[in-house]
Amino acid sequence: MAATDLERFCNEEKRNLSLGGHVGFDSLPDQLVSKSVTQGFSFNILCVGETGIGKSTLMNTLFNTTFETEEASHYENAVRLRPRTYDLQESNVHLKLTIVDAVGFGDQINKDESYRPVVDYIDTQFENYLQEELKIRRSLFNYHDTRIHVCLYFITPTGHSLKSLDLVTMKKLDSKVNIIPIIAKADTISKSELHKFKIKIMSELVSNGVQIYQFPTDDEAVAEINSVMNAHLPFAVVGSTEEVKVGNKLVRARQYPWGVVQVENESHCDFVKLREMLIRVNMEDLREQTHTRHYELYRRCKLEEMGFKDTDPDSQPFSLQETYETKRKEFLGELQKKEEEMRQMFVNKVKETESELKEKERELHEKFEHLKRIHQEEKRKVEEKRRELEEEMNAFNKRKLAVETLQSQSLQATSQQPLKKDKDKKNFFSLPSACSITSGRHVN
Ligand code: GDP
């Protein structure tokens, strides 16, 4: 349908017609109720407050059961979110209840970043829902919605004022979740102090611009009770699963040597008010506010971040197709740029490696040439030595030959002239030296 046809259709005057008899569409609310009951409901509560402030006890007291809990230590390095889901049934209504505990909140020495895991957890649940919505094949009908519907913020009953951790955390959370502040362990603070404490807390929240959840007053059926209850915020609660006999009735209470604090006694604490507002009157509003206010804000910011808009700068409706095409082109351009950068980087790296390799080759070649020179020099020296040795050997051999020749000649001569030898011997003895010896003995 063209935009102009659509406008004409919407602007058409509506005419009232009376029906001739019962048609049956007055059963639509019943159909709706029946469908919702069959489908069941989910409700997710986030409990934020120091360890030991009474979060688990209050949850057990609120739902009149014992949820699995393990006592948290005071030595957690960081805040960690621990979700636990339970299937509850009352009459024929099924409730999938998730209780998320901010374990370790307020236990670290440096509390600057304590709110961050809580904010991240809430955003992650929104993101999961958004991803499911953006799927082509969505299954929101049986999707387990884990978005946080309410944050019960447990305030320590100091009687003084809010801690800066409380203010910072609530400020960071107020645009993401419905916050209901509650003063925990209200039995530890006197009535007059509690009154002043409540006023102080509210004024601090206002002066710091912290938006807490206001019970809705636009529905006539609950407007009165809700506006009265808004004036009682923050609720001062007491939790206990212990049953104490008061009169002839067993009631949930905390027993002290000086008396009994009854959890469900409105003159003792605001537990009943909290249960009434949270579960019996405004549970659906909390779910609705989560979807229409907090999730909507998250979704809008996220889609705008992704480049989607409802109108273009000239206030003309923005086409999803056009946005998609623009984004696609932007993305492809970016991708091409990245590819080109990577290619260039690769070429540069190859060039660098190539020149490094060439340099290494040159160095190796030089080394080789150097070694070759040393080797040749060595070889030359060895050759020279060998020649010298050969010459020495030749000379030696020659000398040896000469000696041998001389020896053989002398031998030969000795064997041929034995007489001559004797004569020679005589001659020898007649040599002057011999003579001199002889002359000493024989005087001619
Ligand atoms: P969590 O760590 O915040 O979950 O705290 P718990 O629920 O485990 O409670 C810690 C201690 O506080 C337990 O000994 C509880 O009995 C006690 N406690 C819980 N609620 C109250 C309360 O309303 N008043 C008082 N005086 N003590 C409470």
Side-chain angles (χ1 to χ4, degrees):
M1 197 184 285
T4 45
D5 292 342
L6 183 72
E7 274 163 29
R8 209 175 312 124
F9 177 79
C10 294
N11 293 337
E12 252 178 38
E13 211 178 281
K14 288 180 199 93
R15 285 167 293 164
N16 284 327
L17 290 178
S18 54
L19 304 171
H22 180 244
V23 178
F25 60 77
D26 59 353
S27 70
L28 259 174
D30 299 333
Q31 291 177 34
L32 206 65
V33 168
S34 157
K35 198 172 166 194
S36 301
V37 167
T38 318
Q39 202 180 330
F41 300 87
S42 68
F43 192 63
N44 308 318
I45 305 176
L46 168 67
C47 296
V48 181
E50 292 171 10
T51 309
I53 193 77
K55 300 184 291 290
S56 322
T57 311
L58 189 78
M59 286 300 108
N60 290 342
T61 320
L62 266 177
F63 288 92
N64 206 3
T65 186
T66 311
F67 297 113
E68 309 158 13
T69 43
E70 56 204 52
E71 207 172 291
S73 92
H74 284 272
Y75 306 105
E76 295 277 343
N77 292 331
V79 180
R80 138 179 94 82
L81 280 289
R82 185 182 59 197
R84 291 231 163 106
T85 302
Y86 307 90
D87 271 318
L88 307 179
Q89 189 181 353
E90 193 169 47
S91 310
N92 61 341
V93 178
H94 289 269
L95 181 70
K96 194 176 261 195
L97 176 74
T98 302
I99 299 172
V100 185
D101 192 358
V103 180
F105 185 81
D107 281 336
Q108 295 74 40
I109 294 171
N110 183 353
K111 301 181 181 67
D112 288 356
E113 295 288 297
S114 293
Y115 69 87
R116 198 169 290 284
V118 184
V119 169
D120 289 348
Y121 182 86
I122 295 172
D123 281 348
T124 307
Q125 311 319 308
F126 283 151
E127 185 60 32
N128 293 346
Y129 191 86
L130 181 65
Q131 288 306 322
E132 187 61 37
E133 260 192 349
L134 294 176
K135 274 186 190 168
I136 292 177
R137 288 163 189 260
R138 299 181 295 176
S139 55
L140 287 170
F141 177 74
N142 54 7
Y143 174 79
H144 178 205
D145 185 3
T146 53
R147 292 172 299 173
I148 298 295
H149 299 120
V150 64
C151 164
L152 293 181
Y153 195 94
F154 290 69
I155 298 165
T156 316
T158 57
H160 291 208
S161 58
L162 285 170
K163 296 177 184 175
S164 43
L165 172 67
D166 300 329
L167 283 169
V168 169
T169 309
M170 281 197 259
K171 186 78 202 132
K172 294 282 178 192
L173 295 181
D174 70 355
S175 60
K176 297 180 177 289
V177 67
N178 301 310
I179 303 175
I180 300 183
I182 52 180
I183 300 169
K185 298 190 178 180
D187 53 328
T188 60
I189 189 166
S190 77
K191 201 172 171 181
S192 59
E193 275 177 341
L194 182 64
H195 181 67
K196 281 189 212 144
F197 192 36
K198 276 193 178 188
I199 295 171
K200 185 94 201 255
I201 290 171
M202 287 315 281
S203 82
E204 277 185 336
L205 290 177
V206 171
S207 60
N208 285 282
V210 178
Q211 296 275 320
I212 58 164
Y213 174 72
Q214 292 291 309
F215 304 118
T217 48
D218 42 8
D219 178 356
E220 265 179 41
V222 289
E224 200 186 327
I225 182 157
N226 276 354
S227 60
V228 171
M229 290 299 159
N230 277 331
H232 278 283
L233 284 170
F235 294 136
V237 297
V238 173
S240 174
T241 44
E242 198 185 319
E243 297 213 307
V244 178
K245 198 158 188 194
V246 176
N248 51 7
K249 261 173 66 182
L250 268 180
V251 293
R252 280 183 299 165
R254 298 189 77 83
Q255 195 166 23
Y256 296 107
W258 55 88
V260 173
V261 182
Q262 296 170 35
V263 169
E264 293 180 59
N265 184 332
E266 285 202 60
S267 61
H268 288 191
C269 73
D270 299 333
F271 173 80
V272 170
K273 292 187 182 74
L274 174 67
R275 187 179 60 194
E276 201 69 13
M277 289 293 97
L278 179 69
I279 301 173
R280 301 184 181 179
V281 179
N282 295 308
M283 196 183 244
E284 184 48 28
D285 186 69
L286 286 161
R287 284 159 36 90
E288 205 178 292
Q289 291 285 323
T290 303
H291 187 71
T292 55
R293 204 168 128 222
H294 302 300
Y295 171 65
E296 213 45 42
L297 179 65
Y298 177 85
R299 182 180 168 278
R300 199 182 72 212
C301 295
K302 207 66 207 202
L303 293 183
E304 278 176 0
E305 230 173 68
M306 287 158 77
F308 294 106
K309 289 180 202 112
D310 287 334
T311 52
D312 64 13
D314 310 322
S315 304
Q316 293 299 311
F318 211 76
S319 149
L320 196 70
Q321 178 72 22
E322 271 174 32
T323 313
Y324 172 74
E325 279 303 325
T326 325
K327 277 276 139 190
R328 193 166 163 271
K329 272 188 199 141
E330 265 176 34
F331 175 73
L332 286 178
E334 277 286 306
L335 200 74
Q336 228 166 357
K337 215 171 111 192
K338 281 246 153 63
E339 244 177 48
E340 184 54 35
E341 274 173 17
M342 281 181 77
R343 207 179 59 78
Q344 198 52 45
M345 229 159 76
F346 180 72
V347 169
N348 288 348
K349 266 260 170 280
V350 168
K351 274 187 186 157
E352 253 174 48
T353 320
E354 210 174 63
S355 69
E356 269 173 24
L357 276 173
K358 270 193 182 144
E359 180 64 17
K360 283 252 162 15
E361 195 185 327
R362 197 187 54 75
E363 278 174 13
L364 270 174
H365 192 72
E366 266 176 19
K367 230 179 214 165
F368 173 74
E369 285 297 322
H370 178 68
L371 282 173
K372 204 167 131 190
R373 271 199 303 277
I374 290 175
H375 174 73
Q376 275 171 352
E377 183 65 18
E378 290 288 315
K379 202 171 150 190
R380 194 187 56 75
K381 278 181 185 166
V382 168
E383 268 304 310
E384 211 164 275
K385 268 261 180 294
R386 192 172 65 82
R387 228 178 18 253
E388 277 173 17
L389 275 172
E390 264 175 15
E391 273 169 17
E392 266 177 36
M393 261 170 70
N394 286 344
F396 174 78
N397 284 340
K398 269 182 196 162
R399 273 205 306 275
K400 192 178 155 202
L401 203 69
V403 169
E404 277 170 0
T405 321
L406 266 176
Q407 267 180 350
S408 65
Q409 275 174 2
S410 73
L411 268 174
Q412 233 175 4
T414 320
S415 60
Q416 278 172 6
Q417 298 172 341
L419 288 172
K420 193 177 172 245
K421 201 178 172 184
D422 289 341
K423 205 177 168 184
D424 284 347
K425 261 185 191 170
K426 274 182 192 161
N427 284 344
F428 175 76
F429 286 118
S430 63
L431 281 173
S433 58
C435 282
S436 65
I437 297 165
T438 318
S439 64
R441 288 207 185 153
H442 309 278
V443 181
N444 290 326

